[in-house]
Amino acid sequence: MSSNFFQPVDASVVPRFAGLSTFMRLPAVASAEGLDIALVGIPWDGGTTNRAGARHGPRDIRNQSSLMRRVHHVSGIEPFSIANVADVGDLSVNPINLMDGLKRIEDGIAAIVAAGAIPLAAGGDHLTTLPVLRAVARHRPVGMIHFDAHSDTNDRYFGDNPYTHGTPFRRAIEEGLLDPRRVVQIGIRGSIYEPGEHDWAVAQGIRIIYMEEFVRRGATSVMEEARTIAGTGPTYVTFDIDCIDPSMAPGTGTPELGGFTTREVQEMVRLLDGLNIVGADVVEVAPPFDLAGMTALAGATMMFELLCVLAKSVQAARACKIR
Ligand code: MN
Ligand code: MN
C-alpha cells in the first residue's frame, strides 16, 4: 500500500450528498499519469437504435457511486489502498457526428493506455466499446468477457450503416481487435431479427451462453468456462447493464425480460478474479428511463465490483515486478 494513492472523500466527514460528484468520490484529475486505474466517463450515445439517453449515464453513475465504500464485503479487497485510482473526467465527445465521436473516444482512451493506466469506463451506449477496443487492442487482439442481453454482432442497420450499438463486436472482429476464440457472451436472450442471427458470431468462434443455459448451470460453472475461454491472455470485460433484468435495471435503451438479478452479476464479476484484464466498461445506463436512480446504482456498483478485481490484478502485477 502506498500513502500516495488517491483516496475517496470520507463519508463520515463529508456526507455522501455533498461536494462535487466524481466516480467513487475520488479526486478528479487532469490526466491518467501516475494512475493504475483510470475511471472515465464516455457520455455518448450516437450508436443508439431505440430509446436514447445513455449519454447521460456517466453523470448519474458518478452520483450513485457516492454509495460505494472502501472495502469489498466478500473479498476484503480495498481497491484504493492497493491501486492508484482517480476520476479522469469525461472524454471529449461529439453528439452530432458519429465518426468524429468514435475518433475522440479512441484518442481519449489511447491517452489513458499510453499513461500506463487501465481504463474503467462508464458509457455511453455499447458502440463506445468499439473505439475503446481500438485503443486497448491497438497492438494485439484481446479476449473479451461480455455480459449482455444482446450479442451486438449484427452487420448493418437502416440501409448500409455499419456503426450502431448493435454492431460493435462484428466490427471489432473484422478489425482484428478481438480474438473471437477468446470471446464469451453471457446472458444473451430476447427475440431476434431473423433465424440464425447469431450464426456469424458462432462461426467466428465466439461462445454464446444464452440466459437459459446460465439458469441451468449457475454462475460458478458458467464463469469457470468463461475463465477458460479467456485464458491467461489480455482480456477486456464489457458489461451492458441490460444483461440485468429490467425489473432491477429499467433505465436502459433496449430492455429484455428474463435477465440476471443484480446478485447474480455481482457473483459473476467476482469470479473474474485473477484474469489478465486490460480494460473494462459498464455501458447502456440511460437515466431518462431510470427509476429512483436504481439502474445508475446498479451501474456504479458493477463498476466497483470490476474495480476491485482490477485493483487486485494491479497489486499482483506489481508484486511480480518487485520479485
Ligand atoms: Mn450491448
Ligand atoms: Mn444489450
Side-chain angles (χ1 to χ4, degrees), residues 36 127 145 212 287 303:
D36 297 308
L127 183 55
I145 296 184
E212 291 70 25
M303 277 186 84

Side-chain angles (χ1 to χ4, degrees), residues 125-127 129 146-152 165-169 188 238-243 254 283-284:
D125 72 38
H126 222 158
L127 183 55
T129 305
H146 174 192
F147 300 96
D148 205 323
H150 313 98
S151 172
D152 295 348
H165 68 162
T167 65
F169 304 118
I188 310 302
T238 189
F239 189 94
D240 185 330
I241 204 77
D242 71 28
C243 74
T254 318
V283 298
E284 297 286 356

Side-chain angles (χ1 to χ4, degrees), residues 23-243:
F23 289 121
M24 320 280 172
R25 308 191 87 198
L26 287 160
V29 299
S31 91
E33 293 296 334
L35 298 183
D36 297 308
I37 300 164
L39 306 180
V40 59
I42 311 180
W44 192 81
D45 58 14
T48 301
T49 56
N50 185 25
R51 51 189 201 183
R55 68 180 63 179
H56 304 291
R59 189 164 284 192
D60 271 32
I61 290 173
R62 279 192 178 89
N63 185 21
Q64 294 297 332
S65 76
S66 67
L67 267 293
M68 300 306 118
R69 301 179 184 86
R70 301 181 43 83
V71 186
H72 194 282
H73 75 285
V74 178
S75 64
I77 294 171
E78 300 176 51
F80 313 114
S81 299
I82 59 177
N84 200 20
V85 192
D87 184 338
V88 298
D90 286 339
L91 298 185
S92 165
V93 292
N94 182 341
I96 59 163
N97 184 315
L98 189 147
M99 296 309 284
D100 185 50
L102 297 181
K103 178 77 170 70
R104 289 173 186 230
I105 295 165
E106 178 182 351
D107 291 348
I109 297 294
I112 291 170
V113 173
I118 296 172
L120 174 51
D125 72 38
H126 222 158
L127 183 55
T128 60
T129 305
L130 177 65
V132 170
L133 286 171
R134 284 173 177 164
V136 168
R138 190 170 282 181
H139 303 297
R140 77 289 183 243
V142 298
M144 187 172 75
I145 296 184
H146 174 192
F147 300 96
D148 205 323
H150 313 98
S151 172
D152 295 348
T153 51
N154 286 328
D155 191 11
R156 293 289 194 278
Y157 280 69
F158 316 119
D160 195 32
N161 291 288
Y163 299 113
T164 79
H165 68 162
T167 65
F169 304 118
R170 183 177 292 226
R171 301 288 92 81
I173 288 169
E174 290 170 347
E175 294 178 24
L177 305 171
L178 289 173
D179 174 355
R181 293 157 304 173
R182 294 184 53 232
V183 173
V184 55
Q185 303 184 317
I186 306 169
I188 310 302
R189 64 184 186 275
S191 54
I192 50 181
Y193 287 98
E194 53 193 319
E197 180 168 309
H198 299 148
D199 288 357
W200 182 89
V202 172
Q204 306 305 304
I206 291 181
R207 169 75 166 109
I208 299 181
I209 298 177
Y210 292 94
M211 181 55 76
E212 291 70 25
E213 183 178 347
F214 171 87
V215 170
R216 282 197 307 276
R217 294 173 58 188
T220 306
S221 166
V222 160
M223 291 312 292
E224 200 174 275
E225 182 184 354
R227 294 170 60 94
T228 303
I229 291 166
T232 56
T235 300
Y236 192 81
V237 180
T238 189
F239 189 94
D240 185 330
I241 204 77
D242 71 28
C243 74

